Amino acid sequence: MTKFYQLTTDDVLDKLLVDSNVGLTNEQVQENRKLYGTNELNEKKDTPAWKIFLKGFQEPIVIVLLGAILLSLLSSFYAFNFQNNVKHGKEALYEAIAILILVIINASIVFFQEMSTKKSLDALKEMDDRTTVVLRNEEWQTIPTKDIVVGDLIKVKMGDFVEADVRWIKSSELQVIESHLTGEADAISKDTAAISKDTQLADRSNMGYSGSTVSNGQGVGIVVGIGDNTELGNIASMLQNTDKKASPLQTTIKKLTSSLMKVSAGIVLLTIIVGIIKAGELSVASISSVLSTSISLAVASIPDAMPIVLSIVLTIGATKTALNNGLVKSLNSVETLGSTSYISSDKTGTLTQNQMTVTNFYDGTNSYDVKGRGYTPEGDIISDSSSVVNLDSAFLIGAVLVNEASVKEEDGVFKPFGNPTEIALNVLGQKAGVTKESLLLKNKIIRTLPFTSDRKMMSVVVETDKGYRLYTKGAPDVLLQNSQQLLLDGKLVESSRSQNFEKIIDDYAKQALRTIAVAYRDITKHQAQTSSVEELEQNLTTVGVAGIIDPPRPEVKASVKTLNEAKIEVVMITGDHAQTARAIAYDLGIVKDKNARVIEGSEIEEMTDDQLFNVVIGTNIYARVTPEHKQRIIRQLQKHKQIVAMTGDGVNDAPALKAADIGIAMGITGTEVTKDSADLILLDDKFTTIEKSVRNGRMIYANIKNFMRHELTTNVAEVSSLLFGLFLTQTIGQVPGETATLSALMVLWVNMISDSIPSFALGYDVAESDIMKEKPRDVNESILANNTWSRVLIRGTVMGMMVYLAFIWAARMGATSNQAQTVAFLTLVFGQLWHVFDARSSKTIFRRNPFENKHLLAAVLFAGVSSILVTTIPFFNTVMGTAQLPIIVYLMVIFIPALPTFVLSGIKEIFKIKIW
Ligand code: ATP
C-alpha cells in the first residue's frame, strides 16, 4: 500500500477529501470522529475504587489496630474460658468490635479523602489541557488537542508540540525534534516533497509525529493518524505515565510515622515488662492486667491522621493556587514554592503589559514622535524637522514586511493578533499609511526566517522586479554588529559611523523604551533560495530604529515590595536592552539604585562559572541574555543554596525551567513545550500570580507545621497520661491500682475523632498575617525544627500530667473506675481542643483570631459535643467504659483544661520564652 509520505500533498488531500483552503467541515469532523475515535492515548486504567478502599487498610495505624483487635479477642477468650470473668470478657469483646468499627470508619475516611484528592487533581489536570490550531470551515481556530480528527489541517510554529501524526503540506524553515521516536536529539528539517521509496521513520522528511517539538519555523500538516494510531501510540505502552510524585514532606512524614511505630512497639513492650514485674511472675494473668493499657498506648503513640492530613493540605494548596491562576503541576511544587528565595522573571509580558506601541522612531534621516496609544491605527507622526514621513523608507518597509502580526477591527474595536512587538510596528505602518498588503503587491515573500531569542532577529527574503532582498528586524545592537553599512542622512556610510544610531538607541532605552532596528541586504537568487540563516543575516545595512513603549503592569510594584519584605530576591532576566531593563526594574522597585548593575549576556559569555558565582548574589538585572545564560545563572544561584523560581516563555527556555527548582511557564503566551516542562503555569501570565503562589506555598507549609505540632502534642499527652498511670498508681478509693488512666477505646476516640477532625480543619486555615514578613525557610530544615520538639514535649507532658491529676482527683472524690477514666478522657479532649487554637499559631494563642477558621470552629464544636455525648449515652457507656458525670464536673472538665495552654502561652508572651 502506498504510504502517506509517498504521495504528493495534493494526493493526500484528495485521499482524505480535504480542501486545503476550507479544512474539514463540521459534518466531516463528526464522521471522521465516528470512524477514527478521539485523539487520546489509551491511558493507564484508573485504579478501581475497591483497591483505593483497601489501601486504607495498609496505613500503619490500621495494622496496629488489627493487632489490638486480635489481642482483645484473646483477652476476651481467656477471661471467659479460664478466669470465668464474664464482665472482663464482655468488655474485651466490645473493645474488639468497637476497634473494628473504627478501623472501617478510618478506611472510609481515607477512601473519601483519596477520591476527593483524585477529583481535585483530575480537575487541575484538565485545566492543563493542550490546544492546537486547526483549519475548519475556512477558519483557523484553536481547539483542545483531544478533538483533533483525521483529515484536520493543523498549523504549528516554533514552541508547539505536533499533536498527531501529520503529512506536512506547507513548511517554512520548519524544524522538529523527534528524539522520543528516533533517539536523535538534533532538530530535523522538514519539507513537503513526496518520497518515492520505502523510508525509515527517521528519514521521512515530509511527515510529523505526535509528541515532536517544533524547534524552528512553521508548518501546516494534514492529520493522518491520531491517538493510539500514531507512532507515539505504538510505543505508548512502553512509556510509563508519570505518577503523582510524593513530596519530600510526604516522605519525611512517612519516615516519622514509621519511627513512631517503633517507639510505640517499645512502649508496649515496656508496659508488659512493668506488668510482669508488678505481678512478680511471668503469666497470662500478669500480661493481661496491663494489656488494656498497652493497647491504649500503642494506639495513642501513632499520629495516624498525619498522612491523610498531609495529602489533604497539599491538595487544598494546589486547588487554592489554581483559584489564584497558578496551576501547580505536582504536589511537590506546592511545598517547594513556599521555600522559594529567588524569583527570576522575564520582563516582557510578565512584569510589563505586553501591550506595545511605537512612540518614537528614527529612519536614518529624521527622528519622529508617534502619537496615539494602543492598537487603534490613528495618531500623528511628528518629525523633529519639518519633513513628512518618507513612505518609501526602507525602515518602514522592513518594519511592516518582516511582520506576521495583524490588527483587525471588530465592532469598532481594534483587536491585535500575533507578537506584540510586531503588532506595534504594524500599527505604526498603518499610522504612516504603509500596509503589508500594499507592500506585498511589489514584494513577494519567498522565505521567512522566524525570530528566535538566541539570534534576536527575524528576516524575510523578498523577490521584487529588481531582484532579491533580505529585510531583517531585531535588537539594534545585534543588527549594528552584523551591519557593514548604515543609512545616515539619506546616504549609505560605513558602519563604524554608528554613533548617531547608538545615541538614539541609548536615549530610547533610558526612557524605558524597547528598541528594535531594521536592516536590509540585497542578495542573489541563489543566496535567496539556498543560504542558511547565519549566511544571510550578515553584511546588513541598518536603516532605522524604533522605540516601543511597553508599560509595567501596575500591580507588580506592590508584589515586588511584598516579596522583598519576605526576603525573596526578585531578578529580571530579559532579552531586552540593558538600559531599558534597568529603567523598568527601577520603576518597579526591583532595584533601588537608578544606576544598578546590569550584567549582559555578552559578559556572562566571558565569565567562568566561578566568576558568575561571585556576582549572582547582589545582581538583580540581566539583559540581552539567551536561554542558555538563564541555566548558568540558575546553577550558580543554586550553588549558593538558593531556591530559584524562574519564568520562561520560549521553546529554548524549557531546559532552564527544568533546571529551576520551580519552573514557571506562561499560560497565555507560553509555548506548549515550556508549559510541559514547568512546575507552575501562570494562567494569567501575571507576575503577581507568582507572589500569590509563593504565599500559598508558605501557608500550606505553615498549616502542615501547625497540624504536626497539634497532632504530636496530643499524642505525647495521651502516652504520658497513660505512663503516669502505669508507674504511679496505687489503689485509690474505688479505683484499683491497675486501672489505666484511659480505656483503649477512649484513646481511640480521641485519636480518631476529637483530635483528628480539628486537625483536618487546620488544613483549611488562612495564613498568619506576617507570613510574608519572614525569611524563606531552609529546605533542609526539619519540619520539627525551631524548638518544635521541645514545644511538643513540654506542652504534651503538661497536658498528660493534668489528665492524670484529673483521674486521681476523681478517684479521691470517690468516683468509680469508669467515672475516673471519663474525667480523664474529657480533660484530655478539652485540653486538646483548647490547645488546637494555640497550635495554629507559630507564636501563641494570643496572636491569632480564633474565629478566622470557620472549619476549625465547627470541628471543635463537633468534637466537644460528641465527646460529651459518648459519656451520657448508655450504649457508649457500655462499649467505651464511659460514665455520666455531675454537671459541675462537666463544666470543670471543659474549662480547667484551658489552663495549661493559657498559662504556658502567657508565660511565653511575657518572658519571650521560645522552648514552648
Ligand atoms: P523577556 O526575555 O523579558 O521576555 P524580550 O521579549 O525583550 O524580553 P526577547 O524576546 O529575547 O526578549 O527579545 C530580545 C530582543 O529581540 C528585543 O529587545 C527586541 O529588540 C528583539 N525582538 C523581540 N521580538 C522581536 C521580533 N518579533 N522580531 C525581531 N526582533 C525582535
Side-chain angles (χ1 to χ4, degrees):
M1 198 184 88
T2 334
K3 318 258 178 18
F4 284 109
Y5 61 83
Q6 293 170 325
L7 299 175
T8 64
T9 53
D10 285 341
D11 287 345
V12 180
L13 287 164
D14 284 349
K15 188 167 175 181
L16 293 169
L17 308 172
V18 184
D19 179 333
S20 64
N21 295 317
V22 180
L24 291 180
T25 59
N26 287 346
E27 295 78 55
Q28 280 179 303
V29 170
Q30 274 172 13
E31 248 169 57
N32 287 4
R33 184 158 303 138
K34 255 191 236 147
L35 223 57
Y36 305 102
T38 55
N39 186 29
E40 281 175 303
L41 289 179
N42 203 352
E43 281 197 20
K44 246 190 352 189
K45 292 249 176 325
D46 270 352
T47 322
W50 63 268
K51 264 198 183 162
I52 298 183
F53 184 72
L54 284 188
K55 222 175 118 190
F57 288 89
Q58 289 163 7
E59 296 287 329
I61 178 73
V62 177
I63 298 169
V64 173
L65 291 179
L66 292 176
I69 293 176
L70 194 71
L71 285 179
S72 299
L73 286 177
L74 283 177
S75 170
S76 160
F77 180 77
Y78 181 75
F80 277 128
N81 294 308
F82 296 97
Q83 292 182 317
N84 252 341
N85 186 343
V86 177
K87 184 173 173 278
H88 183 89
K90 262 190 181 169
E91 272 172 12
L93 190 63
Y94 285 147
E95 198 168 271
I97 295 169
I99 298 177
L100 185 66
I101 292 171
L102 280 178
V103 167
I104 293 170
I105 293 176
N106 185 70
S108 309
I109 296 177
V110 174
F111 175 71
F112 286 114
Q113 281 311 333
E114 285 270 340
M115 293 303 262
S116 81
T117 304
K118 195 172 149 330
K119 227 166 103 190
S120 310
L121 291 179
D122 285 349
L124 289 180
K125 243 197 226 157
E126 245 165 54
M127 291 173 78
D128 189 23
D129 260 0
R130 295 210 205 140
T131 55
T132 298
V133 177
V134 298
L135 181 67
R136 284 186 185 169
N137 306 309
E138 285 182 75
E139 229 176 275
W140 287 105
Q141 41 191 281
T142 306
I143 60 162
T145 291
K146 65 174 189 317
D147 293 344
I148 296 175
V149 297
V150 169
D152 261 327
L153 293 177
I154 65 170
K155 183 149 71 175
V156 296
K157 56 176 189 327
M158 187 170 65
D160 287 343
F161 282 113
V162 181
E163 300 284 10
D165 283 2
V166 297
R167 161 76 163 84
W168 298 115
I169 60 165
K170 277 187 200 157
S171 71
S172 165
E173 313 294 326
L174 181 63
Q175 291 187 342
V176 299
I177 298 171
E178 15 189 73
S179 55
H180 65 301
L181 296 175
T182 60
E184 168 66 54
D186 287 340
I188 300 157
S189 292
K190 295 284 176 178
D191 54 39
T192 59
I195 303 167
S196 54
K197 16 182 225 315
D198 241 353
T199 313
Q200 293 290 323
L201 188 141
D203 298 323
R204 294 176 199 158
S205 55
N206 57 18
M207 296 289 291
Y209 293 104
S210 184
S212 320
T213 312
V214 180
S215 60
N216 193 39
Q218 45 209 354
V220 175
I222 178 162
V223 174
V224 296
I226 56 169
D228 287 335
N229 289 324
T230 56
E231 293 295 335
L232 178 69
N234 283 342
I235 58 160
S237 53
M238 295 190 287
L239 300 170
Q240 271 301 323
N241 268 344
T242 41
D243 254 333
K244 277 193 291 176
K245 250 200 286 174
S247 87
L249 250 185
Q250 283 176 314
T251 319
T252 314
I253 287 191
K254 229 183 185 162
K255 276 194 204 143
L256 185 70
T257 321
S258 78
S259 322
L260 287 174
M261 274 186 69
K262 284 179 199 143
V263 173
S264 136
I267 293 176
V268 171
L269 208 67
L270 185 76
T271 44
I272 293 176
I273 294 171
V274 169
I276 295 167
I277 294 171
K278 267 187 172 175
E281 55 165 359
L282 176 63
S283 66
V284 180
S286 65
I287 295 176
S288 157
S289 72
V290 286
L291 202 61
S292 178
T293 311
S294 48
I295 292 173
S296 308
L297 275 168
V299 174
S301 51
I302 298 173
D304 45 288
M306 236 177 232
I308 314 175
V309 169
L310 198 63
S311 86
I312 298 176
V313 174
L314 290 173
T315 316
I316 295 174
T319 312
K320 260 194 187 165
T321 312
L323 287 176
N324 282 325
N325 284 322
L327 187 59
V328 182
K329 303 252 291 281
S330 74
L331 294 183
N332 211 333
S333 320
V334 181
E335 200 185 309
T336 317
L337 264 169
S339 55
T340 305
S341 60
Y342 257 81
I343 297 178
S344 57
S345 172
D346 283 335
K347 172 181 70 66
T348 311
T350 316
L351 299 171
T352 65
Q353 298 177 12
N354 219 2
Q355 284 180 4
M356 303 197 193
T357 319
V358 177
T359 58
N360 299 77
F361 71 95
Y362 171 67
D363 65 3
T365 310
N366 296 303
S367 284
Y368 299 88
D369 271 353
V370 185
K371 301 292 175 200
R373 293 283 181 275
Y375 307 124
T376 309
E378 286 163 15
D380 293 335
I381 299 179
I382 302 163
S383 162
D384 58 349
S385 67
S386 53
S387 57
V388 288
V389 186
N390 175 8
L391 297 186
D392 292 329
S393 79
F395 168 76
L396 275 179
I397 296 176
V400 175
L401 262 188
V402 193
N403 199 320
E404 308 230 296
S406 60
V407 177
K408 283 187 200 143
E409 192 184 349
E410 275 176 28
D411 305 325
V413 182
F414 288 87
K415 283 199 176 155
F417 295 89
N419 170 310
T421 307
E422 294 178 11
I423 292 166
L425 293 171
N426 177 300
V427 173
L428 169 71
Q430 292 194 52
K431 283 179 181 170
V434 182
T435 64
K436 193 166 176 183
E437 290 73 35
S438 61
L439 293 175
L440 286 178
L441 297 176
K442 288 189 192 152
N443 300 272
K444 183 170 173 236
I445 296 179
I446 56 167
R447 273 176 79 180
T448 302
L449 315 175
F451 174 76
T452 62
S453 30
D454 286 320
R455 281 161 42 240
K456 298 188 172 38
M457 291 186 277
M458 169 180 175
S459 305
V460 296
V461 176
V462 295
E463 185 184 346
T464 67
D465 33 0
K466 290 189 199 118
Y468 293 85
R469 183 174 262 200
L470 174 90
Y471 281 103
T472 303
K473 74 175 197 311
D477 32 337
V478 181
L479 252 60
L480 284 176
Q481 215 169 33
N482 290 12
S483 285
Q484 248 187 353
Q485 300 183 97
L486 310 167
L487 188 72
L488 211 57
D489 294 329
K491 292 187 209 83
L492 295 178
V493 299
E494 290 284 304
S495 62
S496 54
R497 293 178 54 192
S498 62
Q499 298 84 339
N500 221 9
F501 267 93
E502 276 161 21
K503 186 176 168 309
I504 285 173
I505 295 164
D506 211 47
D507 273 359
Y508 288 170
K510 277 190 182 144
Q511 298 169 48
L513 298 180
R514 185 177 169 80
T515 52
I516 193 144
V518 173
Y520 73 84
R521 177 185 175 189
D522 289 317
I523 49 177
T524 63
K525 182 176 181 182
H526 183 70
Q527 282 175 316
Q529 287 173 339
T530 58
S531 290
S532 67
V533 181
E534 292 74 31
E535 285 163 351
L536 286 170
E537 286 174 341
Q538 50 174 303
N539 298 335
L540 303 170
T541 301
T542 298
V543 292
V545 54
I548 302 176
I549 191 163
D550 176 17
R553 287 183 188 270
E555 70 284 357
V556 172
K557 205 168 176 170
S559 282
V560 171
K561 189 161 172 269
T562 311
L563 289 168
N564 284 341
E565 278 170 4
K567 307 282 176 300
I568 297 171
E569 283 291 328
V570 179
V571 176
M572 176 193 280
I573 304 193
T574 176
D576 217 334
H577 193 281
Q579 293 280 17
T580 315
R582 187 190 278 137
I584 292 189
Y586 179 74
D587 210 24
L588 292 172
I590 292 174
V591 291
K592 308 280 174 289
D593 178 2
K594 264 191 172 158
N595 299 312
R597 174 162 193 195
V598 180
I599 296 186
E600 293 203 43
S602 51
E603 288 175 67
I604 299 178
E605 206 78 19
E606 307 273 292
M607 286 183 195
T608 62
D609 280 350
D610 286 342
Q611 286 168 328
L612 188 58
F613 177 83
N614 289 330
V615 294
V616 281
I617 301 286
T619 301
N620 293 69
I621 313 171
Y622 298 87
R624 287 286 185 245
V625 290
T626 62
E628 291 78 64
H629 299 142
K630 287 188 174 179
Q631 280 186 67
R632 286 191 60 198
I633 297 168
I634 295 175
R635 274 202 210 102
Q636 298 315 316
L637 281 172
Q638 285 172 333
K639 268 198 214 155
H640 281 285
K641 304 255 177 306
Q642 302 297 328
I643 302 298
V644 189
M646 174 167 289
T647 68
D649 42 19
V651 54
N652 298 345
D653 284 329
L657 295 196
K658 283 215 171 109
D661 298 282
I662 295 284
I664 306 173
M666 303 298 135
I668 304 170
T669 54
T671 55
E672 293 297 338
V673 175
T674 41
K675 283 190 222 169
D676 201 59
S677 347
D679 303 295
L680 173 70
I681 300 177
L682 306 181
L683 296 175
D684 55 3
D685 286 13
K686 285 187 184 166
F687 182 78
T688 311
T689 303
I690 308 178
E691 182 235 319
K692 287 188 191 145
S693 306
V694 169
R695 176 192 290 270
N696 243 331
R698 285 190 173 198
M699 185 184 76
I700 284 148
Y701 189 81
N703 284 351
I704 293 171
K705 206 165 174 172
N706 294 347
F707 158 74
M708 297 278 288
R709 219 181 267 137
H710 181 61
E711 184 77 8
L712 290 174
T713 305
T714 56
N715 281 1
V716 170
E718 289 159 32
V719 170
S720 61
S721 67
L722 287 164
L723 286 181
F724 283 132
L726 188 70
F727 290 114
L728 302 179
T729 310
Q730 0 149 309
T731 303
I732 304 172
Q734 299 184 57
V735 183
E738 72 267 14
T739 313
T741 320
L742 301 156
S743 75
L745 278 168
M746 288 174 182
V747 176
L748 260 181
W749 175 271
V750 168
N751 246 8
M752 293 195 156
I753 310 281
S754 70
D755 161 22
S756 294
I757 294 175
S759 289
F760 289 157
L762 283 177
Y764 290 90
D765 229 333
V766 289
E768 278 185 274
S769 53
D770 58 356
I771 197 153
M772 291 299 268
K773 301 248 170 351
E774 290 156 15
K775 64 178 193 341
R777 82 185 150 86
D778 176 355
V779 264
N780 294 321
E781 160 196 303
S782 144
I783 186 140
L784 297 173
N786 296 338
N787 298 321
T788 306
W789 261 125
S790 58
R791 183 170 165 173
V792 161
L793 285 175
I794 293 172
R795 284 176 185 256
T797 315
V798 171
M799 207 190 289
M801 183 149 10
M802 187 182 59
V803 171
Y804 177 65
L805 289 177
F807 176 81
I808 299 282
W809 170 81
R812 291 242 156 95
M813 299 299 284
T816 61
S817 296
N818 284 0
Q819 283 173 331
Q821 284 183 324
T822 306
V823 168
F825 165 66
L826 288 179
T827 307
L828 178 63
V829 167
F830 286 97
Q832 292 178 342
L833 294 183
W834 289 108
H835 176 262
V836 74
F837 291 99
D838 183 86
R840 66 189 275 273
S841 166
S842 55
K843 290 153 206 99
T844 71
I845 193 167
F846 304 112
R847 299 290 188 97
R848 293 208 75 176
N849 172 0
F851 303 107
E852 269 171 339
N853 183 348
K854 302 279 180 283
H855 288 97
L856 183 64
L857 287 180
V860 165
L861 202 67
F862 171 79
V865 172
S866 60
S867 299
I868 289 184
L869 284 180
V870 295
T871 68
T872 58
I873 299 172
F875 169 75
F876 287 102
N877 292 154
T878 325
V879 174
M880 283 175 66
T882 51
Q884 201 153 353
L885 303 172
I887 296 275
I888 179 75
V889 179
Y890 279 120
L891 288 176
M892 287 169 78
V893 293
I894 291 174
F895 293 106
I896 296 178
L899 277 177
T901 296
F902 282 93
V903 170
L904 286 175
S905 291
I907 297 175
K908 182 172 179 171
E909 281 289 343
I910 296 165
F911 299 104
K912 308 270 169 285
I913 290 171
K914 291 247 163 64
I915 55 164
W916 66 66

